[in-house]
CSV table of all heavy atoms in Angstrom, one decimal:
chain,number,residue,atom,x,y,z
B,3,LEU,N,97.9,116.7,92.5
B,3,LEU,CA,97.9,117.1,91.1
B,3,LEU,C,99.3,116.9,90.5
B,3,LEU,O,99.4,116.4,89.4
B,3,LEU,CB,97.5,118.6,91.0
B,3,LEU,CG,96.3,118.9,90.1
B,3,LEU,CD1,95.8,120.3,90.4
B,3,LEU,CD2,96.7,118.8,88.6
B,4,THR,N,100.3,117.3,91.3
B,4,THR,CA,101.6,117.2,90.8
B,4,THR,C,102.0,115.7,90.5
B,4,THR,O,102.7,115.4,89.5
B,4,THR,CB,102.6,117.8,91.7
B,4,THR,OG1,102.2,119.2,92.0
B,4,THR,CG2,104.0,117.8,91.2
B,5,SER,N,101.7,114.8,91.4
B,5,SER,CA,102.1,113.4,91.2
B,5,SER,C,101.4,112.8,90.0
B,5,SER,O,102.0,112.1,89.2
B,5,SER,CB,101.8,112.6,92.5
B,5,SER,OG,100.4,112.7,92.9
B,6,SER,N,100.1,113.1,89.9
B,6,SER,CA,99.4,112.6,88.7
B,6,SER,C,100.0,113.1,87.4
B,6,SER,O,100.3,112.3,86.5
B,6,SER,CB,97.9,113.1,88.7
B,6,SER,OG,97.2,112.5,89.8
B,7,SER,N,100.3,114.4,87.4
B,7,SER,CA,100.9,115.0,86.2
B,7,SER,C,102.3,114.4,85.9
B,7,SER,O,102.7,114.1,84.8
B,7,SER,CB,101.0,116.5,86.3
B,7,SER,OG,101.6,117.1,85.2
B,8,THR,N,103.1,114.2,87.0
B,8,THR,CA,104.4,113.6,86.8
B,8,THR,C,104.3,112.2,86.3
B,8,THR,O,105.1,111.8,85.4
B,8,THR,CB,105.1,113.6,88.2
B,8,THR,OG1,105.2,114.9,88.7
B,8,THR,CG2,106.5,113.0,88.0
B,9,LEU,N,103.4,111.4,86.8
B,9,LEU,CA,103.2,110.0,86.3
B,9,LEU,C,102.9,110.0,84.8
B,9,LEU,O,103.4,109.3,84.0
B,9,LEU,CB,102.2,109.3,87.1
B,9,LEU,CG,102.5,109.0,88.6
B,9,LEU,CD1,101.4,108.4,89.3
B,9,LEU,CD2,103.7,108.0,88.6
B,10,ALA,N,102.0,110.9,84.5
B,10,ALA,CA,101.5,111.0,83.1
B,10,ALA,C,102.7,111.4,82.2
B,10,ALA,O,102.9,110.9,81.1
B,10,ALA,CB,100.4,112.1,82.9
B,11,THR,N,103.5,112.4,82.7
B,11,THR,CA,104.7,112.8,81.9
B,11,THR,C,105.7,111.6,81.7
B,11,THR,O,106.2,111.4,80.6
B,11,THR,CB,105.5,113.9,82.7
B,11,THR,OG1,104.7,115.0,82.7
B,11,THR,CG2,106.8,114.2,82.0
B,12,LEU,N,105.9,110.8,82.7
B,12,LEU,CA,106.8,109.7,82.6
B,12,LEU,C,106.2,108.6,81.6
B,12,LEU,O,106.9,108.0,80.9
B,12,LEU,CB,107.0,109.0,84.0
B,12,LEU,CG,107.8,109.8,85.0
B,12,LEU,CD1,107.8,109.1,86.3
B,12,LEU,CD2,109.2,109.9,84.5
B,13,ASP,N,104.9,108.5,81.6
B,13,ASP,CA,104.3,107.6,80.7
B,13,ASP,C,104.4,108.1,79.2
B,13,ASP,O,104.7,107.3,78.3
B,13,ASP,CB,102.8,107.4,81.0
B,13,ASP,CG,102.1,106.4,80.2
B,13,ASP,OD1,102.6,105.2,80.2
B,13,ASP,OD2,101.1,106.7,79.5
B,14,ARG,N,104.3,109.4,79.0
B,14,ARG,CA,104.3,109.9,77.7
B,14,ARG,C,105.8,109.9,77.2
B,14,ARG,O,106.0,109.6,76.0
B,14,ARG,CB,103.8,111.4,77.7
B,14,ARG,CG,102.4,111.5,77.3
B,14,ARG,CD,102.0,113.0,77.2
B,14,ARG,NE,102.0,113.7,78.5
B,14,ARG,CZ,102.9,114.5,78.9
B,14,ARG,NH1,103.9,114.8,78.1
B,14,ARG,NH2,102.8,115.1,80.0
B,15,THR,N,106.7,110.3,78.0
B,15,THR,CA,108.1,110.6,77.5
B,15,THR,C,109.1,109.6,78.0
B,15,THR,O,110.3,109.7,77.5
B,15,THR,CB,108.5,112.0,78.0
B,15,THR,OG1,108.9,111.9,79.4
B,15,THR,CG2,107.4,113.0,77.9
B,16,GLY,N,108.8,108.6,78.8
B,16,GLY,CA,109.8,107.7,79.3
B,16,GLY,C,110.6,108.2,80.5
B,16,GLY,O,110.3,109.3,80.9
B,17,PRO,N,111.6,107.5,80.9
B,17,PRO,CA,112.4,107.9,82.1
B,17,PRO,C,113.0,109.3,82.0
B,17,PRO,O,113.4,109.6,80.9
B,17,PRO,CB,113.5,106.8,82.2
B,17,PRO,CG,112.9,105.6,81.5
B,17,PRO,CD,112.0,106.2,80.4
B,18,ARG,N,113.0,110.0,83.1
B,18,ARG,CA,113.5,111.3,83.1
B,18,ARG,C,114.3,111.6,84.4
B,18,ARG,O,114.0,111.0,85.4
B,18,ARG,CB,112.4,112.3,83.0
B,18,ARG,CG,111.6,112.3,81.8
B,18,ARG,CD,111.4,113.6,81.2
B,18,ARG,NE,111.2,113.5,79.7
B,18,ARG,CZ,112.2,113.7,78.9
B,18,ARG,NH1,113.4,114.1,79.3
B,18,ARG,NH2,112.0,113.6,77.6
B,19,ARG,N,115.2,112.5,84.4
B,19,ARG,CA,115.9,112.9,85.6
B,19,ARG,C,115.1,113.8,86.4
B,19,ARG,O,114.2,114.5,85.9
B,19,ARG,CB,117.3,113.5,85.2
B,19,ARG,CG,117.2,114.6,84.2
B,19,ARG,CD,118.5,115.3,84.0
B,19,ARG,NE,119.5,114.3,83.5
B,19,ARG,CZ,120.7,114.6,83.3
B,19,ARG,NH1,121.2,115.9,83.5
B,19,ARG,NH2,121.6,113.8,82.8
B,20,ILE,N,115.4,113.9,87.7
B,20,ILE,CA,114.6,114.6,88.7
B,20,ILE,C,114.5,116.1,88.3
B,20,ILE,O,113.4,116.7,88.3
B,20,ILE,CB,115.1,114.4,90.1
B,20,ILE,CG1,114.9,113.0,90.5
B,20,ILE,CG2,114.6,115.4,91.0
B,20,ILE,CD1,115.0,112.7,92.0
B,21,THR,N,115.7,116.7,88.0
B,21,THR,CA,115.6,118.1,87.7
B,21,THR,C,114.7,118.4,86.5
B,21,THR,O,113.9,119.4,86.5
B,21,THR,CB,117.1,118.6,87.3
B,21,THR,OG1,117.9,118.3,88.4
B,21,THR,CG2,117.1,120.1,87.1
B,22,ASP,N,114.8,117.6,85.5
B,22,ASP,CA,114.0,117.7,84.3
B,22,ASP,C,112.5,117.7,84.7
B,22,ASP,O,111.7,118.5,84.3
B,22,ASP,CB,114.3,116.6,83.4
B,22,ASP,CG,113.6,116.7,82.0
B,22,ASP,OD1,112.8,117.7,81.9
B,22,ASP,OD2,113.8,115.9,81.1
B,23,LEU,N,112.1,116.7,85.5
B,23,LEU,CA,110.7,116.5,86.0
B,23,LEU,C,110.3,117.8,86.7
B,23,LEU,O,109.2,118.3,86.5
B,23,LEU,CB,110.6,115.3,86.8
B,23,LEU,CG,110.6,114.0,86.1
B,23,LEU,CD1,110.6,112.8,87.1
B,23,LEU,CD2,109.4,113.8,85.1
B,24,ALA,N,111.2,118.3,87.6
B,24,ALA,CA,110.8,119.4,88.4
B,24,ALA,C,110.5,120.6,87.5
B,24,ALA,O,109.4,121.3,87.7
B,24,ALA,CB,112.0,119.8,89.3
B,25,VAL,N,111.3,120.9,86.5
B,25,VAL,CA,111.0,122.0,85.6
B,25,VAL,C,109.7,121.8,84.9
B,25,VAL,O,108.9,122.7,84.8
B,25,VAL,CB,112.2,122.2,84.6
B,25,VAL,CG1,111.8,123.2,83.5
B,25,VAL,CG2,113.5,122.5,85.3
B,26,ARG,N,109.5,120.6,84.3
B,26,ARG,CA,108.3,120.3,83.6
B,26,ARG,C,107.1,120.5,84.4
B,26,ARG,O,106.0,121.0,83.9
B,26,ARG,CB,108.3,118.9,83.0
B,26,ARG,CG,109.2,118.7,81.8
B,26,ARG,CD,109.3,117.2,81.4
B,26,ARG,NE,110.2,117.1,80.4
B,26,ARG,CZ,109.9,116.9,79.1
B,26,ARG,NH1,108.6,117.0,78.7
B,26,ARG,NH2,110.8,116.8,78.1
B,27,GLU,N,107.1,120.1,85.7
B,27,GLU,CA,105.9,120.2,86.5
B,27,GLU,C,105.8,121.5,87.3
B,27,GLU,O,104.9,121.7,88.0
B,27,GLU,CB,105.9,119.0,87.5
B,27,GLU,CG,106.1,117.7,86.8
B,27,GLU,CD,104.9,117.4,85.8
B,27,GLU,OE1,103.9,118.0,85.9
B,27,GLU,OE2,105.2,116.6,84.9
B,28,GLY,N,106.8,122.3,87.1
B,28,GLY,CA,106.7,123.7,87.7
B,28,GLY,C,106.9,123.7,89.2
B,28,GLY,O,106.2,124.5,89.9
B,29,VAL,N,107.7,122.7,89.7
B,29,VAL,CA,108.0,122.7,91.2
B,29,VAL,C,109.5,122.8,91.3
B,29,VAL,O,110.2,122.7,90.4
B,29,VAL,CB,107.4,121.5,91.9
B,29,VAL,CG1,105.9,121.5,91.8
B,29,VAL,CG2,108.0,120.2,91.4
B,30,THR,N,109.9,123.0,92.6
B,30,THR,CA,111.4,123.0,92.8
B,30,THR,C,112.0,121.6,92.8
B,30,THR,O,111.2,120.6,92.9
B,30,THR,CB,111.7,123.7,94.1
B,30,THR,OG1,111.1,122.9,95.2
B,30,THR,CG2,111.2,125.1,94.2
B,31,GLN,N,113.3,121.6,92.7
B,31,GLN,CA,113.9,120.2,92.6
B,31,GLN,C,113.7,119.5,93.9
B,31,GLN,O,113.5,118.3,93.9
B,31,GLN,CB,115.4,120.4,92.3
B,31,GLN,CG,116.2,119.2,92.5
B,31,GLN,CD,116.9,119.2,93.8
B,31,GLN,OE1,117.5,120.2,94.2
B,31,GLN,NE2,116.8,118.1,94.6
B,32,PRO,N,113.9,120.1,95.1
B,32,PRO,CA,113.7,119.4,96.3
B,32,PRO,C,112.3,118.8,96.4
B,32,PRO,O,112.1,117.7,96.9
B,32,PRO,CB,113.9,120.5,97.4
B,32,PRO,CG,114.8,121.4,96.8
B,32,PRO,CD,114.4,121.5,95.4
B,33,ALA,N,111.3,119.6,95.9
B,33,ALA,CA,109.9,119.1,96.0
B,33,ALA,C,109.8,117.8,95.1
B,33,ALA,O,109.2,116.8,95.5
B,33,ALA,CB,108.9,120.1,95.5
B,34,MET,N,110.4,117.8,93.9
B,34,MET,CA,110.4,116.6,93.1
B,34,MET,C,111.1,115.5,93.7
B,34,MET,O,110.7,114.3,93.6
B,34,MET,CB,110.9,117.0,91.7
B,34,MET,CG,110.8,115.9,90.7
B,34,MET,SD,109.1,115.3,90.5
B,34,MET,CE,108.3,116.7,89.7
B,35,THR,N,112.2,115.8,94.4
B,35,THR,CA,113.0,114.7,95.0
B,35,THR,C,112.1,113.9,96.0
B,35,THR,O,112.0,112.7,96.0
B,35,THR,CB,114.2,115.3,95.7
B,35,THR,OG1,115.1,115.7,94.8
B,35,THR,CG2,114.9,114.2,96.6
B,36,VAL,N,111.4,114.7,96.9
B,36,VAL,CA,110.5,114.0,97.9
B,36,VAL,C,109.3,113.4,97.2
B,36,VAL,O,108.9,112.3,97.6
B,36,VAL,CB,110.1,114.9,99.0
B,36,VAL,CG1,110.3,116.4,98.6
B,36,VAL,CG2,108.8,114.6,99.6
B,37,LEU,N,108.8,114.0,96.2
B,37,LEU,CA,107.7,113.4,95.5
B,37,LEU,C,108.1,112.0,94.9
B,37,LEU,O,107.3,111.0,95.0
B,37,LEU,CB,107.1,114.3,94.4
B,37,LEU,CG,106.0,113.8,93.5
B,37,LEU,CD1,104.9,113.3,94.4
B,37,LEU,CD2,105.6,114.8,92.5
B,38,VAL,N,109.3,112.0,94.3
B,38,VAL,CA,109.7,110.7,93.7
B,38,VAL,C,109.9,109.7,94.8
B,38,VAL,O,109.6,108.5,94.6
B,38,VAL,CB,111.1,111.0,92.9
B,38,VAL,CG1,111.8,109.7,92.6
B,38,VAL,CG2,110.8,111.8,91.7
B,39,ARG,N,110.4,110.1,95.9
B,39,ARG,CA,110.6,109.2,97.0
B,39,ARG,C,109.3,108.6,97.5
B,39,ARG,O,109.1,107.4,97.7
B,39,ARG,CB,111.3,109.9,98.2
B,39,ARG,CG,111.5,108.9,99.4
B,39,ARG,CD,112.5,109.5,100.4
B,39,ARG,NE,112.3,110.9,100.8
B,39,ARG,CZ,111.3,111.3,101.6
B,39,ARG,NH1,110.5,110.4,102.1
B,39,ARG,NH2,111.2,112.5,101.9
B,40,VAL,N,108.3,109.4,97.6
B,40,VAL,CA,106.9,109.0,98.0
B,40,VAL,C,106.4,108.0,96.9
B,40,VAL,O,105.9,106.9,97.3
B,40,VAL,CB,106.0,110.2,98.1
B,40,VAL,CG1,104.5,109.7,98.3
B,40,VAL,CG2,106.4,111.0,99.3
B,41,MET,N,106.5,108.4,95.6
B,41,MET,CA,105.9,107.5,94.6
B,41,MET,C,106.7,106.2,94.5
B,41,MET,O,106.2,105.2,94.2
B,41,MET,CB,106.0,108.2,93.2
B,41,MET,CG,105.1,109.5,93.2
B,41,MET,SD,104.9,110.1,91.5
B,41,MET,CE,106.5,110.6,91.1
B,42,GLU,N,108.0,106.3,94.8
B,42,GLU,CA,108.8,105.1,94.8
B,42,GLU,C,108.4,104.1,96.0
B,42,GLU,O,108.2,102.9,95.8
B,42,GLU,CB,110.3,105.4,95.1
B,42,GLU,CG,111.2,104.2,95.0
B,42,GLU,CD,112.7,104.6,95.2
B,42,GLU,OE1,112.9,105.7,95.9
B,42,GLU,OE2,113.6,104.0,94.7
Side-chain angles (χ1 to χ4, degrees):
Chain B
L3 235 164
T4 305
S5 56
S6 296
S7 177
T8 301
L9 292 174
T11 295
L12 289 173
D13 185 56
R14 264 187 292 104
T15 74
R18 297 228 152 261
R19 51 177 57 181
I20 289 197
T21 305
D22 186 358
L23 286 174
V25 172
R26 282 174 187 261
E27 305 303 335
V29 299
T30 60
Q31 169 266 309
M34 186 53 70
T35 291
V36 20
L37 176 55
V38 166
R39 180 165 48 76
V40 170
M41 295 192 300
E42 186 182 25

